[in-house]
Amino acid sequence: MSKSNSTETREREDERGQGSAHGAAGERLSTAPREERPDTGAGVPAMSVVGWVRWFWRQLTSMRVALILLFLLSLGAIPGSLIPQTSVDDMKVQAFKDQHTTLTPIYEKLQLFDVYSSVWFSAIYILLFVSLIGCIVPRTGQFVGQLRSRPPGAPKRLTRLPAYTTWRTEAEPEEVREAALAVLRKRRFRAHEVGDAVAAEKGYLREAGNLVFHIALIVMLVAFASGQLFKSEGGKLVVEGDGFSNTLTQYDDFKSGSLYDSDSLAPFSFVLDEFVGTYEKSGPQRGTPRTFEARVTYTEGADGAERKDVIKVNEPLTVDGTKVYLIAHGYAPVVTVRDGKGKVVSRSAVPLLPIDNNITSSGAIKVMDGYKDKNGEKTQLGFKAFFVPTFAGEGKGQMFSQFPALDFPVLALSAYHGSLGVDSGLAQNVYQLDTSKMKEFKGEDGELLKKMMMPGEKMDLPDGAGSITFEGVEEWASFQISQQPGNGWALGGSVAAIAGLAGSLFIQRRRVWVRAVRGADGVTVVEMAGLGRSESAKLPEELGDLSAALVTTAPVAAEEAPDTPEKPDAPDGPGTTDATTDATNEAGTRPVHPAEAPAEGAEK
């Protein structure tokens, strides 16, 4: 009884030993990342400052942290797209604050109105930048070392590799190896002869594409940062016949990056000769612009020659790295204001802002200087203006334009006199009339003086106060003048990133070995095997093409059937079945179980 018990105990110990051995082998073959578990014993010393720094650097430069930072950067850009930004539109930000008094303090503390210049967004941006650099530098050194090295020699047992074929030939082993070198080099393999075999490798562009992708990301980050720090952007409304000079005082509005220097404005100027706009006159797309272009004469530099050009939507004028975009269009009624003695006080084209797609426009006409009332006292005039390029006619609904072209222009005015409020020194909207310190001109009915006029008509002010005449209509165009360095680098980086990503995804790195030795009967035995860094169904096909090319030089021996590949040797070790060793396909390849490790030198 004791003898039986001791036998069973030894059997259980043997099973546990085999299980631990298989477990250790499986652990060595596993591709999962290893986690170093510190010993929890009482004698473990505390990690030093240098150790913590190294640990933090390894974590920061890992692929997992880089992906997390990239995700956080994308996530952080969402509020910048949904919440009005101060750097884009101050008026929208102020309107949002007025409407959301509860959320505003929270958003201000979180810097959500200035997302892209906030502390937390900048921290993510800089960490991602450092992570990419820390990942690229060592990998670049490794890749250069791989390019300088040669493919390793052939494993002892090529039958263990996932793609394998063999045949016997009457050709000499040296001839076979020379032919194999020629075939592989013709297929752009890096090949050399090692002992009794030829070793070749191909697909280095996979790792090169991976590096290009990461470097392109850095280029894009740098380009984006430089574009935000050194950019300038401004707007200018120009009436036909007027011009613009690229100086800071000429802009209607101007914004720039924190490191931008106004002295770096490109010296140029242009004159709006004519704006040409045509529109679809019928059908479901009635009113849609067909021609929308600004014809300008521009001068580059202080003494440059005049040149003609046409600015269209998405076709800007480019001068010395600065782009002039056409972004809007409207009408400017030309009006003449006279005082009670008939003296011309003001004559100008007054731009009005469109309020719909048919360019129904509104604005204000202001006479600030030169006007005197009937008593000879200086005062100011103001007119609320409403303009339609195509009027439907009296009794046909409200006064809104029926078409964007100047088919039937009508200008409606209402008159005021007094103080415009411009002498207070406070900024004022030129398209709005502040009537808080003004009085209405009264008509014959005792109501506010109003009148609709066509070109050539005038409105007389009561009590001999003067008149205002609607002379005609000019057109205006609004331009955006922007200078943003780094756009070319950003475009090049994005193209390189796509190309590098495609290379890293579709190029497979693989190795091929060709062994040619003389058998015991004097006939040369040729073995070919392939191994890929990643699984691919094309590896057996490629090996088949290579073997077919080599067979022309080393034909199959007459006594051997050409379509019968050599049966792979069965790998040693427990757990191997006949089904696994006999699993071959038509191309002479066989699947290899992960537990079957490649032979020495096959993959390091």
Side-chain angles (χ1 to χ4, degrees):
M1 187 69 178
S2 61
K3 184 176 182 180
S4 175
N5 290 337
S6 63
T7 302
E8 293 177 358
T9 301
R10 285 195 300 272
E11 291 177 354
R12 286 196 297 268
E13 291 178 352
D14 292 341
E15 291 176 358
R16 285 197 297 269
Q18 292 178 0
S20 62
H22 291 317
E27 183 179 356
R28 288 193 299 270
L29 292 173
S30 175
T31 59
R34 292 185 178 182
E35 296 183 0
E36 300 293 339
R37 299 182 179 179
D39 190 3
T40 57
V44 177
M47 188 179 294
S48 63
V49 176
V50 177
W52 278 110
V53 171
R54 290 177 179 174
W55 177 86
F56 178 79
W57 179 254
R58 285 196 298 266
Q59 299 301 316
L60 181 61
T61 56
S62 65
M63 183 62 67
R64 176 173 55 186
V65 172
L67 292 176
I68 292 174
L69 290 172
L70 191 60
F71 173 75
L72 289 177
L73 193 69
S74 304
L75 195 64
I78 294 177
S81 303
L82 300 179
I83 300 173
Q85 298 296 295
T86 305
S87 60
V88 178
D89 195 331
D90 291 332
M91 298 182 64
K92 285 187 177 181
V93 172
Q94 188 59 46
F96 183 91
K97 291 180 178 180
D98 295 338
Q99 296 175 3
H100 304 84
T101 56
T102 304
L103 291 176
T104 296
I106 301 175
Y107 284 5
E108 287 179 340
K109 290 182 179 179
L110 296 177
Q111 298 179 301
L112 295 183
F113 294 117
D114 299 279
V115 169
Y116 302 109
S117 59
S118 63
V119 175
W120 55 270
F121 191 86
S122 301
I124 298 173
Y125 194 89
I126 294 173
L127 286 175
L128 178 60
F129 189 81
V130 174
S131 177
L132 288 174
I133 293 178
C135 179
I136 289 173
V137 171
R139 293 184 65 173
T140 302
Q142 295 174 3
F143 181 62
V144 171
Q146 293 173 0
L147 291 178
R148 298 178 62 182
S149 63
R150 290 189 171 190
K156 293 181 179 179
R157 302 179 64 182
L158 294 178
T159 55
R160 285 181 172 268
L161 301 184
Y164 174 81
T165 185
T166 184
W167 71 92
R168 290 157 58 86
T169 180
E170 298 293 341
E172 297 295 325
E174 294 79 8
E175 297 178 2
V176 176
R177 289 193 289 269
E178 290 179 3
L181 273 174
V183 169
L184 290 170
R185 288 172 177 172
K186 186 177 181 181
R187 303 292 180 92
R188 296 189 297 276
F189 278 84
R190 293 179 59 193
H192 69 118
E193 189 172 350
V194 184
D196 59 357
V198 174
E201 190 168 3
K202 189 178 182 180
Y204 288 92
L205 288 179
R206 179 185 181 91
E207 181 62 19
N210 200 355
L211 291 174
V212 167
F213 172 74
H214 287 81
I215 294 173
L217 286 182
I218 293 179
V219 172
M220 293 171 63
L221 290 175
V222 172
F224 177 76
S226 63
Q228 292 298 313
L229 293 174
F230 297 97
K231 72 174 182 178
S232 68
E233 184 177 284
K236 179 63 177 179
L237 187 148
V238 183
V239 181
E240 287 179 331
D242 291 343
F244 167 80
S245 180
N246 193 27
T247 58
L248 201 57
T249 56
Q250 289 279 301
Y251 284 91
D252 294 334
D253 60 87
F254 185 83
K255 296 176 182 177
S256 62
S258 57
L259 299 181
Y260 182 78
D261 184 5
S262 59
D263 293 335
S264 60
L265 285 172
F268 72 91
S269 61
F270 68 87
V271 175
L272 177 60
D273 299 326
E274 182 185 11
F275 180 86
V276 179
T278 60
Y279 308 89
E280 186 69 33
K281 294 186 176 181
S282 62
Q285 294 186 343
R286 185 176 184 272
T288 303
R290 294 306 180 197
T291 304
F292 203 80
E293 60 187 33
R295 298 175 181 177
V296 300
T297 301
Y298 73 96
T299 302
E300 185 175 357
D303 302 320
E306 292 186 349
R307 302 177 184 176
K308 299 284 187 179
D309 205 341
V310 177
I311 305 176
K312 302 179 182 179
V313 178
N314 296 326
E315 295 182 18
L317 169 67
T318 303
V319 183
D320 194 16
T322 301
K323 294 185 177 181
V324 182
Y325 294 90
L326 173 63
I327 59 175
H329 159 257
Y331 294 107
V334 180
V335 295
T336 300
V337 180
R338 293 178 173 86
D339 60 13
K341 296 181 181 181
K343 178 183 176 182
V344 175
V345 177
S346 172
R347 187 182 190 279
S348 62
V350 182
L352 303 180
L353 291 182
I355 60 175
D356 61 18
N357 292 332
N358 287 327
I359 319 185
T360 302
S361 307
S362 66
I365 301 172
K366 301 177 183 181
V367 180
M368 294 178 285
D369 299 312
Y371 176 79
K372 295 181 181 180
D373 61 12
K374 61 181 181 179
N375 298 322
E377 296 181 0
K378 290 184 178 181
T379 187
Q380 296 174 332
L381 299 179
F383 302 88
K384 288 185 177 180
F386 199 83
F387 175 79
V388 289
T390 302
F391 184 43
E394 292 286 351
K396 294 184 179 180
Q398 296 179 341
M399 186 179 173
F400 281 93
S401 179
Q402 306 300 307
F403 194 71
L406 287 171
D407 293 344
F408 188 8
V410 173
L411 176 65
L413 297 177
S414 55
Y416 299 83
H417 65 96
S419 175
L420 293 169
V422 295
D423 298 330
S424 63
L426 299 176
Q428 206 178 71
N429 192 330
V430 297
Y431 303 104
Q432 294 179 352
L433 185 64
D434 182 7
T435 61
S436 60
K437 296 181 180 181
M438 304 192 77
K439 297 180 180 180
E440 300 176 351
F441 278 109
K442 301 295 183 179
E444 296 179 354
D445 56 358
E447 299 294 332
L448 174 65
L449 180 63
K450 299 179 180 179
K451 187 175 181 179
M452 290 191 299
M453 298 181 294
M454 292 187 294
E457 296 182 347
K458 72 175 181 176
M459 180 174 70
D460 292 323
L461 302 178
D463 300 328
S467 65
I468 180 169
T469 305
F470 179 25
E471 305 285 358
V473 182
E474 298 282 356
E475 299 189 54
W476 59 259
S478 181
F479 300 93
Q480 176 181 299
I481 300 95
S482 63
Q483 182 180 4
Q484 188 166 5
N487 284 345
W489 285 99
L491 177 61
S494 60
V495 173
I498 295 174
L501 183 62
S504 64
L505 291 177
F506 298 110
I507 297 177
Q508 182 191 15
R509 188 172 173 184
R510 62 273 193 199
R511 291 171 178 169
V512 173
W513 292 275
V514 181
R515 173 175 285 137
V517 295
R518 194 178 303 278
D521 55 354
V523 180
T524 302
V525 178
V526 182
E527 292 182 292
M528 292 187 68
L531 178 66
R533 295 292 296 269
S534 59
E535 294 184 3
S536 174
K538 294 184 178 181
L539 181 61
E541 298 177 6
E542 186 174 29
L543 189 69
D545 293 340
L546 292 172
S547 61
L550 186 58
V551 163
T552 58
T553 304
V556 181
E559 69 275 14
E560 183 180 4
D563 57 347
T564 306
E566 180 179 335
K567 181 177 179 180
D569 296 336
D572 299 332
T576 304
T577 62
D578 294 338
T580 302
T581 58
D582 292 340
T584 60
N585 58 21
E586 296 178 359
T589 63
R590 66 178 182 83
V592 176
H593 192 274
E596 298 179 9
E600 297 84 0
E603 189 73 28
K604 294 184 181 180

